[in-house]
Amino acid sequence: MDKMFFWMTDPPGSGQIALSTWREYLASMASVSLVAVVLGVGVIVFLYMRSASAMRVRVWSDVFKTYAPNYWLLLSLLGFFGMGGYAWMDYSTLGEGAVGAEFVAFQIAVWTLFWTALLSFLIVCMPGVTPPKFRYRPYAIFVSGRGVRK
Amino acid sequence: MNTLICAGGTGTRILEAILHFCAAGLGPGELRVLVIDPDGSNGNGARLRQLLAKYLECQKSFNAGGAPGSFFSTRLDLLESEGQATGLKVWSPVGKSQKFNEVVNYAMLPKGGENGLDHKDLVHLLFTEDELGMPLDVGFRGHPSVGAAAMGLLSLFQKEPPWSILAERIRGEVSQADGSHVMIAGSVFGGTGASVIHPLARFIHGIPESNSDRLTIGALAVVPYFQFQASAAGDAADAEKAAKSEWFALATRASALFYHHLRENGDWHFDSMYWLGDPSLTPVPAFSSGGSKQENPSHVTEFLGAVACIDYFNRRPGQKACYYAGPKMSEDDQRRSSSAIHWDDIPSMSLDPAKLKRRMLGFLAAGAMHTGFLHPLMEDPRTDQSPYRIPWYLDRFASRGDHLGSSENLPKLRALSDFFAQHHFRWWREILSDPAGRIRLVNPLALHEANNGGVVADIYQLANFLPERPGAVTADKVDSFFTDMVRSAGTAPDVRGAPGYLSLLAHSAEKFTNREYFDQAESGTGGR
């Protein structure tokens, strides 16, 4: 599992923590991150679907309203802060040789945020998740230039 | 080919009803129309011209002519010829400034003729002095004898348009297997209609030089369905000379006896004859003896008359029979004593009432959605700046360079909005304005007057166009229709531009109507 953070091969601080301890730490963080990603994606997609299916187009100007369900993707930040905090605290218990805790925690938090946000985004773009009437709204930024009248 | 000849004010309003049916995709593939009315300037005639112009504009804008069953699909033949004004042909057997004595050339009638017969005395035997001196600028004013005499001169005009064109086309059609089918519609209690039907049928019957069995002639005889108070007119002299609704019953009886006489004596040129009326006699609110002020509101009898005409064109029953429509005895105790008219009460031999209802409701839903949602959306410049917000618009139009908000397409959408607001919704509103509230075809609360003189269909009642559907008034149905458009974008016929818009709108309206009105009806939770 420690291979998940493949770029963090050596502990920071040039050998002040035993390599085996470092790898155990990474494996533990990988497991927790994986659970955090799965839970995070599940919660985000659930809330997104509920929000999107409740959204209605009742008058023609509703078409131009901000697509609020997209905001649920920002919940990925909870994973960033949550995982980051947990990684920092757990790293700090590794002893006086555990230097660079902030940077280690930051990397793990970014990894969690990245996968949570990416997987959530890909899932909400799938047919059946976003209502057909809002098909292009999750990735509007990529299609906003299509079909525009010059 | 089908030909509809409409006589007088009632005939004009029946043609108006038929145009609405054609707009909804219920008309025949092709239809030739002609109006006979000495009072061509009457309010109903002006309204009909405006409706026809708007229908043709929509048909052209949306390239709709030809695809059977689609909106505005019926192609109209207006008997146009080179050198003549375009548009609806309204023919009159008399000149505008003529008096009746001039029509029969009274002044030149010989005093003594064969057997010493004084022709002028013969004229006096048939017509009163008032009738002889009657100006014919606003029609025959409820004197069918005057009109019949004028129509008897029809053969003098057979080499002039529109009759020469009509005759030429009928002769060409009877040489084809499909033949030619003529329907004459008018009232038999007024002036023009009662005067026209038989002489015209006789004239048309004589047109084919061969294959006369391929020519069928139908007639729609409308008996009294409205009444008015002549004393309500401001001009007493005008009221004095006008038709009087107290004479209608007598005139109808005379007509019925006349046609019975024709049948008994084998002088029967009709393959089918439809008799239609309404004993409730709706009061006409504003009386006028003729001219631009005479504009009677639309009535359900004219709606049923249009059904009869379309029925005839679809089926062309040839038993030379008369068909009558009357109230149906209902098995429902609550409806037994009611004279209410529901969709399944509509008499028809070929037009399935369920299909008629489905189409009309679909057309209403399409119109409501277009006027209340889609047209304003397309008018907003943001639509063409961010078409991704409307998936069907991006997929079917914008991504291909079609922009409904362009200067080329917006006028077409406006024409469609005008058709609905100024004509179709108004027509329905008048039909539903029955004083006794008998007409239960469409929910009258769904249509109301707009500030600009038109009529608006309440978009929040999209699923509530049928009466008696509590709980169906909701803005969420707009969302449902919008979703139907997204889903239909992949299945509706792939047509570009404004025609593609109308095609998508029609397809979505059908989907919406089938789900909202007919799935529920099948489960017995409402709707008829």
Side-chain angles (χ1 to χ4, degrees):
Chain A
M1 286 291 280
D2 61 305
K3 296 282 191 284
M4 199 178 288
F5 302 112
F6 58 91
W7 68 95
M8 292 196 278
T9 48
D10 296 315
S14 307
Q16 294 193 31
I17 300 176
L19 197 57
S20 60
T21 305
W22 171 244
R23 284 180 180 157
E24 278 174 17
Y25 169 77
L26 286 182
S28 168
M29 288 302 105
S31 303
V32 176
S33 288
L34 204 58
V35 171
V37 166
V38 170
L39 273 180
V41 168
V43 168
I44 288 170
V45 171
F46 170 77
L47 291 173
Y48 173 91
M49 285 180 75
R50 200 174 70 159
S51 173
S53 61
M55 206 165 156
R56 296 280 183 269
V57 176
R58 294 188 176 101
V59 295
W60 61 269
S61 53
D62 284 349
V63 163
F64 301 107
K65 279 185 179 171
T66 303
Y67 186 57
N70 270 350
Y71 289 135
W72 289 116
L73 295 173
L74 293 175
L75 273 187
S76 310
L77 288 171
L78 283 183
F80 173 85
F81 291 109
M83 201 57 221
Y86 178 76
W88 184 86
M89 283 193 317
D90 201 44
Y91 187 74
S92 301
T93 63
L94 295 183
E96 285 184 5
V99 298
E102 292 81 8
F103 187 57
V104 169
F106 176 77
Q107 291 175 88
I108 292 170
V110 166
W111 186 98
T112 306
L113 169 66
F114 174 78
W115 285 109
T116 304
L118 178 65
L119 289 175
S120 299
F121 175 74
L122 290 175
I123 290 173
V124 302
C125 291
M126 287 168 59
V129 178
T130 295
K133 62 192 168 194
F134 301 126
R135 182 186 311 146
Y136 296 114
R137 304 301 279 273
Y139 51 97
I141 194 168
F142 299 110
V143 296
S144 61
R146 271 182 69 192
V148 172
R149 181 155 59 106
K150 307 273 185 298
Chain B
M1 181 64 171
N2 302 309
T3 302
L4 176 66
I5 303 176
C6 298
T10 298
T12 298
R13 289 189 296 279
I14 288 172
L15 177 55
E16 184 181 344
I18 285 186
L19 284 177
H20 287 291
F21 275 65
C22 292
L26 288 162
E30 290 180 294
L31 182 65
R32 179 180 299 128
V33 297
L34 172 65
V35 172
I36 297 177
D37 195 346
D39 188 12
S41 63
N42 73 62
N44 284 117
R47 194 165 106 165
L48 174 63
R49 282 195 191 84
Q50 290 168 6
L51 170 64
L52 180 67
K54 194 57 66 177
Y55 175 94
L56 291 173
E57 183 184 357
C58 287
Q59 186 175 76
K60 185 180 173 191
S61 294
F62 296 98
N63 203 24
S70 57
F71 296 164
F72 302 98
S73 60
T74 301
R75 289 189 303 274
L76 300 176
D77 175 2
L78 301 179
L79 291 169
E80 288 171 332
S81 61
E82 275 189 44
Q84 283 228 308
T86 57
L88 180 69
K89 297 293 174 291
V90 180
W91 184 80
S92 169
V94 299
K96 266 204 166 313
S97 55
Q98 275 189 315
K99 293 184 180 175
F100 181 56
N101 53 22
E102 294 165 0
V103 174
V104 297
N105 207 14
Y106 177 80
M108 302 303 291
L109 288 174
K111 237 184 164 354
E114 292 178 15
N115 303 321
L117 183 66
D118 187 330
H119 289 98
K120 288 187 176 176
D121 284 343
L122 183 60
V123 169
H124 283 292
L125 190 64
L126 297 172
F127 305 103
T128 66
E129 285 293 336
D130 283 343
E131 285 175 336
L132 282 172
M134 193 165 81
L136 301 176
D137 55 334
V138 290
F140 305 123
R141 305 184 189 232
H143 294 255
S145 55
V146 171
M151 282 301 297
L153 304 174
L154 178 55
S155 56
L156 299 179
F157 300 95
Q158 61 182 326
K159 292 200 187 327
E160 297 173 14
W163 300 109
S164 57
I165 302 170
L166 178 65
E168 180 190 343
R169 291 186 185 172
I170 286 178
R171 288 192 192 106
E173 286 154 18
V174 297
S175 67
Q176 311 291 324
D178 281 347
S180 188
H181 311 283
V182 180
M183 179 64 141
I184 305 167
S187 67
V188 293
F189 58 87
T192 306
S195 315
V196 162
I197 293 179
H198 179 250
L200 184 56
R202 204 170 47 192
F203 171 78
I204 290 174
H205 192 259
I207 287 177
E209 290 156 354
S210 59
N211 297 319
S212 57
D213 57 315
R214 291 180 179 165
L215 170 66
T216 66
I217 301 175
L220 170 61
V222 182
V223 302
Y225 63 98
F226 65 86
Q227 62 181 334
F228 53 81
Q229 295 295 326
S231 56
D235 184 339
D238 195 36
E240 175 74 23
K241 293 175 185 163
K244 295 179 173 46
S245 61
E246 305 88 85
W247 300 344
F248 287 173
L250 202 58
T252 303
R253 184 170 184 269
S255 287
L257 284 172
F258 173 68
Y259 285 104
H260 178 72
H261 169 79
L262 292 178
R263 286 195 77 174
E264 292 289 300
N265 290 277
D267 186 12
W268 188 254
H269 299 296
F270 306 105
D271 291 88
S272 305
M273 190 163 192
Y274 298 78
W275 291 80
L276 188 60
D278 179 7
S280 304
L281 298 179
T282 304
V284 171
F287 166 78
S288 171
S289 63
S292 61
K293 292 180 192 167
Q294 184 187 352
E295 186 179 332
N296 293 356
S298 298
H299 192 276
V300 70
T301 300
E302 294 141 12
F303 178 98
L304 296 174
V307 173
C309 291
I310 291 172
D311 199 65
Y312 174 76
F313 291 137
N314 286 345
R315 195 165 176 265
R316 301 170 205 144
Q319 293 87 4
K320 297 197 182 295
C322 285
Y323 301 93
Y324 307 91
K328 181 171 72 175
M329 285 300 290
S330 175
E331 292 171 2
D332 180 344
D333 284 342
Q334 284 187 334
R335 289 181 61 188
R336 191 181 291 271
S337 60
S338 159
S339 59
I341 299 174
H342 297 84
W343 287 101
D344 53 7
D345 294 327
I346 293 174
S348 175
M349 290 179 281
S350 72
L351 199 56
D352 177 20
K355 178 189 171 187
L356 173 62
K357 176 181 169 188
R358 198 186 300 260
R359 274 305 175 95
M360 279 298 188
L361 289 177
F363 194 54
L364 276 170
M369 194 65 183
H370 171 76
T371 54
F373 188 101
L374 296 168
H375 180 199
L377 181 62
M378 293 302 140
E379 290 271 7
D380 193 310
R382 290 178 290 176
T383 299
D384 277 336
Q385 297 310 308
S386 53
Y388 70 89
R389 296 175 180 272
I390 310 150
W392 58 261
Y393 184 60
L394 178 61
D395 294 342
R396 290 272 300 228
F397 300 97
S399 62
R400 302 174 182 187
D402 282 338
H403 292 101
L404 297 178
S406 66
S407 56
E408 178 195 348
N409 287 318
L410 262 185
K412 298 174 183 177
L413 302 189
R414 288 175 190 143
L416 187 61
S417 288
D418 283 346
F419 177 86
F420 282 111
Q422 304 297 332
H423 298 285
H424 192 68
F425 294 155
R426 174 166 297 288
W427 175 69
W428 268 115
R429 187 163 162 81
E430 289 180 0
I431 289 175
L432 298 170
S433 299
D434 177 71
R438 300 169 303 149
I439 314 305
R440 314 313 298 277
L441 301 178
V442 173
N443 179 6
L445 299 178
L447 301 168
H448 48 87
E449 299 284 339
N451 293 334
N452 62 359
V455 174
V456 176
D458 186 351
I459 199 169
Y460 293 159
Q461 306 226 37
L462 263 184
N464 199 34
F465 279 129
L466 285 177
E468 302 153 359
R469 284 174 64 99
V473 183
T474 167
D476 284 353
K477 296 303 177 185
V478 178
D479 181 89
S480 299
F481 197 112
F482 186 82
T483 303
D484 286 333
M485 291 192 75
V486 175
R487 292 202 169 110
S488 296
T491 54
D494 190 13
V495 183
R496 302 283 300 263
Y501 168 75
L502 188 66
S503 170
L504 179 62
L505 179 63
H507 208 75
S508 308
E510 183 184 355
K511 192 186 283 256
F512 178 86
T513 308
N514 285 344
R515 183 184 61 249
E516 297 295 337
Y517 292 99
F518 291 88
D519 285 349
Q520 281 195 341
E522 285 168 8
S523 65
T525 54
R528 290 183 177 274

